[in-house]
Amino acid sequence: MSTCNFIIKQEQAIEQLIEKAKNAILNAKGEFEGNTEKGIFKIPTPVGKIEGKYMVQSDSIAFEITDKPMILSCYRIEDELKKYLGVEDKKS
């Protein structure tokens, strides 16, 4: 089992972000159970499923990926979750 932890800063209303993520995960034939405070999700990929949970903080969302295929990097998963949330990656 491989795990990842990361935080994604939020600038939109949390309700909108969670709804975007839920719709994207369900459209990908995944599972989503959660609300504006915390939740769990499973996302299928061609190389295996990603399982994780999230917890909303004041201005960010903390993610813990509890299971993932070994060949998928944490960075790649974080990047895809940002796409699901509609959050742009701001490079410095």
Side-chain angles (χ1 to χ4, degrees):
M1 180 190 304
S2 301
T3 62
C4 308
N5 293 288
F6 48 86
I7 295 175
I8 297 177
K9 197 116 167 116
Q10 62 170 344
E11 296 178 7
Q12 303 174 43
I14 190 62
E15 293 83 5
Q16 291 175 323
L17 286 176
I18 298 302
E19 192 63 26
K20 281 182 190 179
K22 177 181 178 180
N23 289 336
I25 290 169
L26 293 177
N27 286 337
K29 306 283 190 257
E31 299 174 33
F32 182 94
E33 184 179 320
N35 55 37
T36 57
E37 295 176 9
K38 63 182 177 176
I40 58 172
F41 55 90
K42 295 179 185 176
I43 306 168
T45 75
V47 294
K49 72 178 179 232
I50 298 168
E51 294 185 28
K53 54 187 174 180
Y54 69 89
M55 181 168 286
V56 176
Q57 300 171 342
S58 61
D59 66 344
S60 59
I61 304 172
F63 287 91
E64 179 182 354
I65 305 303
T66 55
D67 195 18
K68 71 175 190 66
M70 283 183 41
I71 63 171
L72 280 180
S73 70
C74 292
Y75 174 77
R76 175 75 174 152
I77 293 169
E78 180 180 3
D79 191 48
E80 288 302 311
L81 283 173
K82 285 179 180 178
K83 289 179 187 175
Y84 282 174
L85 293 169
V87 174
E88 289 187 30
D89 196 9
K90 296 179 180 170
K91 307 262 186 213
S92 36

XYZ file of all heavy atoms in Angstrom:
728
model
N 0.844 -1.178 0.000
C 0.000 0.000 0.000
C 0.889 1.241 0.000
O 1.802 1.349 0.785
C -0.901 0.002 1.231
C -1.805 1.206 1.283
S -2.710 1.490 2.811
C -3.605 0.020 3.076
N 0.606 2.149 -0.902
C 1.351 3.403 -0.982
C 0.444 4.549 -0.565
O -0.734 4.554 -0.886
C 1.823 3.636 -2.412
O 2.647 2.581 -2.835
N 0.998 5.518 0.147
C 0.191 6.652 0.583
C 0.827 7.970 0.165
O 2.026 8.041 -0.092
C 0.007 6.660 2.116
O 1.279 6.799 2.736
C -0.658 5.393 2.596
N -0.007 8.996 0.092
C 0.425 10.355 -0.229
C -0.371 11.312 0.647
O -1.520 11.040 0.970
C 0.107 10.720 -1.665
S 0.670 9.594 -2.928
N 0.213 12.435 0.964
C -0.477 13.497 1.681
C -0.135 14.816 1.015
O 1.040 15.071 0.734
C -0.039 13.545 3.150
C -0.481 12.319 3.906
O -1.645 12.148 4.180
N 0.460 11.451 4.222
N -1.137 15.630 0.761
C -0.892 16.952 0.212
C -2.076 17.859 0.504
O -3.154 17.394 0.865
C -0.596 16.904 -1.290
C -1.563 16.083 -2.092
C -2.734 16.622 -2.561
C -1.278 14.757 -2.378
C -3.618 15.863 -3.301
C -2.156 13.994 -3.125
C -3.334 14.547 -3.588
N -1.839 19.149 0.377
C -2.857 20.164 0.642
C -3.040 20.991 -0.618
O -2.063 21.414 -1.238
C -2.441 21.053 1.831
C -2.395 20.213 3.102
C -3.397 22.233 1.980
C -1.874 20.940 4.322
N -4.288 21.212 -0.977
C -4.611 22.055 -2.124
C -5.327 23.292 -1.604
O -6.348 23.185 -0.913
C -5.494 21.310 -3.148
C -4.716 20.105 -3.706
C -5.933 22.251 -4.257
C -5.513 19.240 -4.676
N -4.761 24.436 -1.901
C -5.340 25.715 -1.490
C -6.624 25.949 -2.277
O -6.686 25.681 -3.464
C -4.336 26.830 -1.804
C -4.610 28.098 -1.103
C -3.450 28.365 -0.163
C -3.500 29.774 0.337
N -3.692 29.838 1.746
N -7.639 26.451 -1.601
C -8.909 26.719 -2.261
C -9.190 28.213 -2.285
O -8.925 28.906 -1.327
C -10.045 25.981 -1.558
C -10.244 26.424 -0.115
C -11.497 25.864 0.482
O -12.360 25.390 -0.213
N -11.614 25.930 1.794
N -9.717 28.652 -3.416
C -10.089 30.057 -3.550
C -11.567 30.204 -3.902
O -12.088 31.305 -3.903
C -9.211 30.735 -4.605
C -7.751 30.757 -4.190
C -6.844 31.384 -5.231
O -7.349 31.923 -6.232
O -5.624 31.330 -5.025
N -12.215 29.103 -4.209
C -13.643 29.109 -4.545
C -14.434 28.683 -3.316
O -13.876 28.180 -2.347
C -13.926 28.122 -5.673
C -13.149 28.354 -6.935
C -13.402 27.241 -7.944
O -14.533 26.821 -8.124
N -12.348 26.762 -8.566
N -15.739 28.839 -3.392
C -16.608 28.361 -2.316
C -16.455 26.844 -2.216
O -16.436 26.143 -3.227
C -18.057 28.728 -2.606
N -16.337 26.345 -0.998
C -16.090 24.919 -0.787
C -17.211 24.061 -1.377
O -16.965 22.974 -1.896
C -15.844 24.602 0.711
C -15.345 23.163 0.870
C -17.084 24.840 1.540
C -14.047 22.875 0.193
N -18.449 24.551 -1.322
C -19.564 23.793 -1.873
C -19.346 23.529 -3.367
O -19.615 22.435 -3.857
C -20.893 24.539 -1.667
C -21.321 24.669 -0.223
C -20.673 25.848 0.516
O -19.946 26.650 -0.123
O -20.872 25.943 1.730
N -18.870 24.548 -4.087
C -18.619 24.408 -5.523
C -17.482 23.418 -5.782
O -17.571 22.596 -6.694
C -18.263 25.752 -6.142
C -19.411 26.729 -6.177
C -18.971 28.087 -6.685
O -17.868 28.549 -6.389
N -19.830 28.733 -7.456
N -16.423 23.507 -5.006
C -15.284 22.605 -5.192
C -15.672 21.151 -4.956
O -15.321 20.266 -5.739
C -14.135 22.976 -4.248
C -13.348 24.218 -4.598
C -12.323 24.509 -3.511
C -12.658 24.057 -5.928
N -16.393 20.907 -3.886
C -16.795 19.536 -3.559
C -17.732 19.001 -4.644
O -17.606 17.851 -5.075
C -17.449 19.461 -2.164
C -16.448 19.893 -1.082
C -18.003 18.059 -1.890
C -15.173 19.091 -1.021
N -18.642 19.824 -5.125
C -19.559 19.395 -6.181
C -18.802 19.075 -7.471
O -19.084 18.075 -8.133
C -20.626 20.473 -6.426
C -21.770 20.014 -7.290
C -22.598 18.887 -6.688
O -22.656 18.726 -5.451
O -23.196 18.136 -7.478
N -17.813 19.904 -7.821
C -16.991 19.644 -9.005
C -16.253 18.319 -8.871
O -16.222 17.508 -9.793
C -15.957 20.756 -9.200
C -16.477 21.998 -9.819
C -15.322 22.976 -9.997
C -15.799 24.344 -10.397
N -14.678 25.284 -10.531
N -15.636 18.116 -7.711
C -14.885 16.883 -7.479
C -15.811 15.670 -7.526
O -15.502 14.658 -8.162
C -14.158 16.949 -6.146
N -16.943 15.765 -6.869
C -17.904 14.654 -6.846
C -18.331 14.295 -8.267
O -18.311 13.121 -8.651
C -19.120 15.042 -6.005
C -20.201 13.994 -5.975
C -21.376 14.462 -5.140
C -22.486 13.430 -5.140
N -23.632 13.866 -4.331
N -18.719 15.295 -9.048
C -19.168 15.038 -10.419
C -18.061 14.426 -11.269
O -18.303 13.481 -12.023
C -19.684 16.328 -11.062
C -21.003 16.772 -10.470
O -21.764 15.973 -9.929
N -21.288 18.055 -10.549
N -16.848 14.944 -11.153
C -15.729 14.423 -11.947
C -15.420 12.978 -11.565
O -15.191 12.131 -12.436
C -14.497 15.298 -11.759
N -15.427 12.677 -10.281
C -15.132 11.317 -9.822
C -16.234 10.353 -10.253
O -15.956 9.261 -10.746
C -14.920 11.297 -8.295
C -13.600 12.014 -7.956
C -14.924 9.870 -7.748
C -13.398 12.308 -6.486
N -17.479 10.751 -10.100
C -18.589 9.884 -10.512
C -18.595 9.695 -12.029
O -18.872 8.589 -12.515
C -19.924 10.444 -10.024
C -20.123 10.445 -8.497
C -21.452 11.099 -8.132
C -20.016 9.055 -7.907
N -18.280 10.736 -12.784
C -18.203 10.615 -14.247
C -17.086 9.678 -14.684
O -17.153 9.086 -15.762
C -18.029 11.981 -14.909
C -19.313 12.785 -14.896
O -20.405 12.241 -14.794
N -19.177 14.094 -14.986
N -16.057 9.545 -13.848
C -14.948 8.633 -14.144
C -15.254 7.222 -13.634
O -14.374 6.380 -13.558
C -13.664 9.158 -13.506
N -16.515 6.976 -13.266
C -16.970 5.669 -12.746
C -16.374 5.357 -11.372
O -16.184 4.202 -11.007
C -16.641 4.530 -13.720
C -17.151 4.754 -15.121
C -18.631 4.479 -15.206
C -19.101 4.454 -16.653
N -19.803 5.625 -17.087
N -16.076 6.428 -10.631
C -15.541 6.271 -9.287
C -16.637 6.352 -8.241
O -17.831 6.368 -8.554
N -16.208 6.404 -6.987
C -17.133 6.503 -5.856
C -16.763 7.733 -5.041
O -15.583 8.054 -4.885
C -17.017 5.264 -4.970
C -17.355 3.972 -5.674
C -17.099 2.757 -4.799
O -17.260 2.834 -3.561
O -16.711 1.720 -5.364
N -17.786 8.408 -4.517
C -17.563 9.604 -3.715
C -18.600 9.640 -2.617
O -19.791 9.464 -2.870
C -17.685 10.862 -4.580
C -17.427 12.135 -3.822
C -16.165 12.697 -3.818
C -18.436 12.761 -3.116
C -15.912 13.867 -3.115
C -18.200 13.920 -2.400
C -16.933 14.480 -2.410
N -18.136 9.868 -1.397
C -19.036 10.023 -0.262
C -18.442 11.101 0.631
O -17.326 10.950 1.137
C -19.140 8.699 0.509
C -20.129 8.738 1.642
C -20.223 7.399 2.361
O -20.200 6.355 1.682
O -20.284 7.425 3.603
N -19.153 12.211 0.773
C -18.601 13.272 1.594
C -19.447 14.524 1.585
O -20.503 14.579 0.951
N -18.946 15.519 2.285
C -19.648 16.790 2.390
C -18.620 17.920 2.428
O -17.473 17.716 2.039
C -20.542 16.788 3.641
C -19.769 16.462 4.910
O -18.626 16.853 5.091
N -20.396 15.718 5.803
N -19.018 19.073 2.898
C -18.114 20.224 2.905
C -17.123 20.207 4.066
O -16.376 21.168 4.241
C -18.911 21.546 2.935
O -19.768 21.529 4.084
C -19.743 21.717 1.681
N -17.101 19.123 4.822
C -16.135 18.993 5.919
C -15.116 17.891 5.659
O -13.929 18.074 5.884
C -16.861 18.732 7.241
C -17.732 19.888 7.672
C -18.506 19.575 8.936
O -18.244 18.539 9.585
O -19.394 20.375 9.275
N -15.600 16.724 5.214
C -14.702 15.585 4.985
C -15.383 14.555 4.114
O -16.598 14.598 3.914
C -14.272 14.960 6.304
C -15.417 14.380 7.114
C -14.930 13.838 8.422
C -16.130 13.333 9.233
N -15.707 12.706 10.466
N -14.593 13.623 3.608
C -15.168 12.572 2.784
C -14.139 11.566 2.317
O -12.946 11.683 2.624
N -14.624 10.574 1.570
C -13.772 9.523 1.009
C -14.100 9.374 -0.473
O -15.181 9.744 -0.918
C -13.959 8.176 1.742
C -15.419 7.723 1.688
C -13.468 8.266 3.182
C -15.659 6.327 2.215
N -13.143 8.832 -1.224
C -13.356 8.643 -2.644
C -12.516 7.490 -3.162
O -11.517 7.109 -2.550
C -13.026 9.924 -3.431
C -11.636 10.442 -3.188
C -10.577 10.028 -3.978
C -11.378 11.338 -2.159
C -9.290 10.495 -3.756
C -10.098 11.814 -1.932
C -9.050 11.392 -2.729
N -12.957 6.933 -4.292
C -12.226 5.896 -5.019
C -12.298 6.276 -6.486
O -13.383 6.587 -6.993
C -12.850 4.521 -4.807
C -12.767 4.026 -3.387
C -13.435 2.671 -3.241
C -13.448 2.256 -1.782
N -14.159 0.994 -1.574
N -11.152 6.260 -7.154
C -11.089 6.612 -8.562
C -10.407 5.486 -9.321
O -9.265 5.153 -9.021
C -10.296 7.925 -8.764
C -10.870 9.047 -7.895
C -10.276 8.319 -10.230
C -9.988 10.280 -7.823
N -11.105 4.892 -10.307
C -10.453 3.846 -11.094
C -9.494 4.460 -12.115
O -9.720 5.564 -12.608
C -11.629 3.165 -11.798
C -12.668 4.224 -11.913
C -12.491 5.113 -10.713
N -8.404 3.770 -12.379
C -7.467 4.172 -13.429
C -7.123 2.914 -14.219
O -7.362 1.798 -13.734
C -6.167 4.793 -12.859
O -5.350 3.748 -12.328
C -6.443 5.837 -11.793
N -6.530 3.061 -15.383
C -6.143 1.876 -16.146
C -5.126 0.979 -15.425
O -5.016 -0.199 -15.732
C -5.527 2.463 -17.418
C -6.153 3.812 -17.552
C -6.344 4.294 -16.146
N -4.404 1.529 -14.444
C -3.381 0.750 -13.750
C -3.783 0.358 -12.328
O -2.986 -0.196 -11.583
C -2.029 1.509 -13.725
C -1.480 1.645 -15.123
C -2.163 2.858 -13.052
N -5.021 0.640 -11.941
C -5.499 0.299 -10.605
C -6.241 1.465 -9.982
O -6.254 2.568 -10.514
N -6.867 1.216 -8.854
C -7.682 2.258 -8.238
C -6.886 3.116 -7.263
O -5.895 2.686 -6.674
C -8.895 1.668 -7.549
C -8.576 0.925 -6.276
C -9.842 0.407 -5.619
C -9.434 -0.339 -4.374
N -9.926 -1.636 -4.208
N -7.369 4.346 -7.119
C -6.839 5.296 -6.140
C -7.919 5.450 -5.080
O -9.082 5.683 -5.410
C -6.556 6.662 -6.796
C -5.491 6.522 -7.877
C -6.148 7.686 -5.740
C -5.376 7.742 -8.758
N -7.541 5.302 -3.827
C -8.472 5.508 -2.723
C -7.919 6.581 -1.814
O -6.704 6.658 -1.596
C -8.643 4.219 -1.906
C -9.315 3.111 -2.666
C -9.588 1.894 -1.798
O -9.755 2.035 -0.568
O -9.631 0.789 -2.362
N -8.814 7.415 -1.296
C -8.339 8.459 -0.409
C -9.449 9.100 0.388
O -10.624 8.730 0.283
N -9.032 10.049 1.188
C -9.985 10.827 1.979
C -9.526 12.270 1.991
O -8.368 12.574 1.688
C -10.118 10.263 3.389
C -8.828 10.114 4.160
C -9.090 9.386 5.461
C -7.786 9.079 6.186
N -8.030 8.378 7.448
N -10.450 13.154 2.310
C -10.121 14.574 2.373
C -10.731 15.196 3.617
O -11.703 14.679 4.170
C -10.614 15.314 1.118
C -12.113 15.420 1.016
C -12.802 16.501 1.575
C -12.858 14.448 0.365
C -14.181 16.591 1.483
C -14.232 14.530 0.265
C -14.897 15.614 0.828
O -16.256 15.703 0.749
N -10.142 16.293 4.041
C -10.664 17.069 5.153
C -10.509 18.540 4.798
O -9.421 18.981 4.422
C -9.940 16.756 6.455
C -10.494 17.554 7.632
S -9.889 16.961 9.226
C -10.837 15.468 9.373
N -11.602 19.276 4.894
C -11.586 20.696 4.573
C -11.027 21.472 5.759
O -11.428 21.260 6.903
C -13.005 21.185 4.222
C -13.023 22.689 3.991
C -13.527 20.434 3.010
N -10.074 22.350 5.464
C -9.513 23.252 6.457
C -9.975 24.652 6.093
O -10.717 24.825 5.136
C -7.996 23.113 6.470
C -7.572 21.697 6.805
C -6.090 21.442 6.618
O -5.396 22.186 5.946
N -5.615 20.362 7.204
N -9.553 25.662 6.805
C -10.075 27.008 6.586
C -9.944 27.495 5.150
O -10.914 27.945 4.560
C -9.415 27.999 7.551
O -8.025 28.031 7.319
N -8.764 27.405 4.560
C -8.580 27.905 3.197
C -7.955 26.860 2.276
O -7.368 27.192 1.259
C -7.737 29.181 3.200
C -6.314 28.929 3.665
O -6.048 27.873 4.269
O -5.450 29.794 3.420
N -8.088 25.594 2.653
C -7.488 24.529 1.851
C -8.191 23.199 2.112
O -9.026 23.090 3.001
C -5.999 24.409 2.175
O -5.825 24.138 3.550
N -7.820 22.215 1.287
C -8.336 20.863 1.465
C -7.141 19.936 1.612
O -6.252 19.920 0.763
C -9.188 20.422 0.260
C -10.331 21.416 0.024
C -9.744 19.016 0.486
C -11.093 21.162 -1.253
N -7.113 19.193 2.715
C -6.034 18.237 2.972
C -6.469 16.870 2.442
O -7.555 16.386 2.769
C -5.737 18.161 4.459
N -5.617 16.287 1.597
C -5.895 14.975 1.018
C -4.928 13.947 1.574
O -3.745 14.236 1.766
C -5.715 15.009 -0.507
C -6.801 15.745 -1.216
C -6.686 17.098 -1.476
C -7.946 15.088 -1.635
C -7.683 17.784 -2.140
C -8.953 15.767 -2.297
C -8.821 17.116 -2.544
N -5.455 12.755 1.819
C -4.622 11.606 2.163
C -5.006 10.490 1.207
O -6.157 10.038 1.191
C -4.851 11.164 3.601
C -4.011 9.958 3.955
C -4.232 9.447 5.368
O -4.977 10.094 6.142
O -3.674 8.395 5.695
N -4.067 10.095 0.383
C -4.284 8.973 -0.522
C -3.869 7.724 0.249
O -2.713 7.573 0.630
C -3.462 9.130 -1.823
C -3.782 10.469 -2.498
C -3.699 7.951 -2.751
C -5.237 10.698 -2.828
N -4.840 6.855 0.506
C -4.588 5.694 1.361
C -4.160 4.461 0.573
O -3.571 3.549 1.129
C -5.834 5.374 2.203
O -6.959 5.198 1.329
C -6.129 6.511 3.184
N -4.465 4.440 -0.724
C -4.040 3.321 -1.560
C -3.957 3.806 -3.001
O -4.814 4.566 -3.454
C -5.030 2.159 -1.451
C -4.461 0.858 -2.004
O -3.228 0.751 -2.159
O -5.259 -0.055 -2.289
N -2.907 3.366 -3.700
C -2.706 3.777 -5.083
C -1.817 2.764 -5.783
O -1.073 2.036 -5.131
C -2.073 5.164 -5.167
C -0.606 5.201 -4.722
C -0.009 6.571 -4.945
C 1.481 6.595 -4.754
N 2.243 5.821 -5.724
N -1.880 2.712 -7.108
C -0.947 1.860 -7.836
C 0.489 2.376 -7.643
O 0.714 3.591 -7.622
C -1.380 2.022 -9.295
C -2.793 2.509 -9.229
C -2.872 3.329 -7.984
N 1.427 1.474 -7.502
C 2.821 1.874 -7.258
C 3.383 2.745 -8.368
O 4.193 3.620 -8.111
C 3.711 0.650 -7.066
C 3.559 0.044 -5.696
S 4.650 -1.373 -5.393
C 6.183 -0.903 -6.120
N 2.921 2.542 -9.595
C 3.512 3.296 -10.704
C 2.967 4.721 -10.823
O 3.501 5.506 -11.589
C 3.355 2.556 -12.052
C 1.891 2.392 -12.421
C 4.056 1.216 -12.011
C 1.691 1.867 -13.833
N 1.919 5.057 -10.066
C 1.403 6.427 -10.076
C 2.077 7.230 -8.968
O 2.029 6.851 -7.805
C -0.110 6.445 -9.861
C -0.991 6.147 -11.043
C -2.465 6.211 -10.637
C -0.736 7.104 -12.185
N 2.661 8.349 -9.344
C 3.324 9.191 -8.347
C 2.298 10.037 -7.592
O 1.203 10.318 -8.096
C 4.333 10.118 -9.028
O 3.662 11.111 -9.782
N 2.678 10.454 -6.420
C 1.826 11.347 -5.630
C 1.616 12.664 -6.375
O 0.519 13.228 -6.361
C 2.450 11.603 -4.260
S 2.482 10.133 -3.213
N 2.659 13.141 -7.028
C 2.557 14.382 -7.794
C 1.494 14.258 -8.885
O 0.681 15.157 -9.085
C 3.911 14.748 -8.412
C 3.822 15.948 -9.323
C 3.745 17.231 -8.791
C 3.770 15.792 -10.704
C 3.628 18.340 -9.616
C 3.654 16.892 -11.536
C 3.587 18.166 -10.992
O 3.457 19.247 -11.813
N 1.473 13.151 -9.596
C 0.506 12.931 -10.677
C -0.921 12.897 -10.116
O -1.842 13.469 -10.698
C 0.831 11.623 -11.409
C -0.151 11.228 -12.440
C -0.008 12.066 -13.685
N -0.902 11.528 -14.693
C -1.438 12.233 -15.638
N -1.137 13.492 -15.760
N -2.247 11.686 -16.488
N -1.107 12.243 -8.988
C -2.426 12.168 -8.360
C -2.869 13.562 -7.918
O -4.015 13.961 -8.140
C -2.418 11.181 -7.181
C -2.206 9.759 -7.715
C -3.714 11.276 -6.377
C -1.925 8.734 -6.645
N -1.968 14.313 -7.309
C -2.296 15.676 -6.882
C -2.700 16.529 -8.082
O -3.683 17.271 -8.035
C -1.104 16.309 -6.166
C -1.365 17.726 -5.689
C -0.186 18.351 -4.976
O 0.881 17.713 -4.882
O -0.332 19.490 -4.517
N -1.963 16.407 -9.171
C -2.258 17.165 -10.389
C -3.652 16.825 -10.922
O -4.418 17.710 -11.306
C -1.184 16.871 -11.439
C -1.274 17.803 -12.622
O -1.375 19.032 -12.405
O -1.223 17.307 -13.765
N -3.996 15.545 -10.931
C -5.314 15.131 -11.423
C -6.429 15.617 -10.503
O -7.484 16.036 -10.975
C -5.370 13.608 -11.583
C -4.568 13.092 -12.752
C -5.004 13.678 -14.088
O -6.213 13.682 -14.398
O -4.110 14.148 -14.838
N -6.205 15.570 -9.189
C -7.226 16.068 -8.264
C -7.444 17.563 -8.450
O -8.572 18.049 -8.348
C -6.849 15.745 -6.813
C -7.097 14.296 -6.400
C -6.538 14.034 -5.012
C -8.578 13.954 -6.445
N -6.379 18.293 -8.731
C -6.526 19.733 -9.011
C -7.402 19.940 -10.238
O -8.221 20.854 -10.269
C -5.160 20.384 -9.209
C -4.404 20.586 -7.919
C -3.059 21.219 -8.166
C -2.314 21.428 -6.864
N -0.976 22.001 -7.075
N -7.244 19.088 -11.236
C -8.096 19.180 -12.428
C -9.549 18.890 -12.060
O -10.461 19.565 -12.519
C -7.623 18.211 -13.507
C -6.329 18.621 -14.156
C -5.908 17.593 -15.190
C -4.525 17.891 -15.722
N -4.057 16.833 -16.640
N -9.782 17.870 -11.238
C -11.142 17.545 -10.810
C -11.783 18.721 -10.079
O -12.968 18.965 -10.199
C -11.146 16.319 -9.887
C -11.011 14.986 -10.580
C -10.886 13.831 -9.837
C -11.014 14.852 -11.958
C -10.779 12.587 -10.444
C -10.894 13.616 -12.576
C -10.783 12.496 -11.812
O -10.686 11.269 -12.414
N -10.966 19.427 -9.287
C -11.464 20.557 -8.512
C -11.549 21.846 -9.329
O -12.120 22.829 -8.884
C -10.570 20.802 -7.292
C -10.579 19.709 -6.225
C -9.468 19.958 -5.217
C -11.931 19.653 -5.528
N -10.939 21.844 -10.503
C -10.912 23.053 -11.301
C -9.978 24.095 -10.730
O -10.165 25.294 -10.907
N -8.930 23.625 -10.041
C -7.947 24.511 -9.422
C -6.730 24.579 -10.325
O -6.185 23.555 -10.712
C -7.535 23.974 -8.025
C -6.420 24.806 -7.439
C -8.732 23.920 -7.095
N -6.319 25.794 -10.659
C -5.135 25.960 -11.494
C -3.886 25.791 -10.654
O -3.836 26.240 -9.523
C -5.138 27.335 -12.146
C -6.183 27.469 -13.221
C -6.048 28.783 -13.966
O -4.919 29.300 -14.080
O -7.074 29.278 -14.423
N -2.904 25.145 -11.242
C -1.616 24.958 -10.581
C -0.803 26.218 -10.805
O -0.414 26.527 -11.919
C -0.904 23.748 -11.156
C 0.230 23.275 -10.269
O 0.340 23.777 -9.135
O 0.982 22.398 -10.699
N -0.549 26.967 -9.739
C 0.200 28.213 -9.848
C 1.676 27.939 -9.586
O 2.078 27.696 -8.454
C -0.344 29.241 -8.845
C -1.757 29.614 -9.167
C -2.309 30.593 -8.178
C -3.748 30.937 -8.546
N -4.405 31.675 -7.522
N 2.438 27.953 -10.629
C 3.874 27.714 -10.509
C 4.553 29.033 -10.131
O 4.210 30.080 -10.622
C 4.445 27.232 -11.838
C 3.703 26.054 -12.403
C 4.406 24.776 -12.075
C 3.698 23.640 -12.797
N 3.685 22.432 -12.157
N 5.549 28.953 -9.258
C 6.248 30.183 -8.882
C 7.537 30.335 -9.613
O 8.022 29.509 -10.273
C 6.509 30.216 -7.380
O 6.801 28.967 -6.862
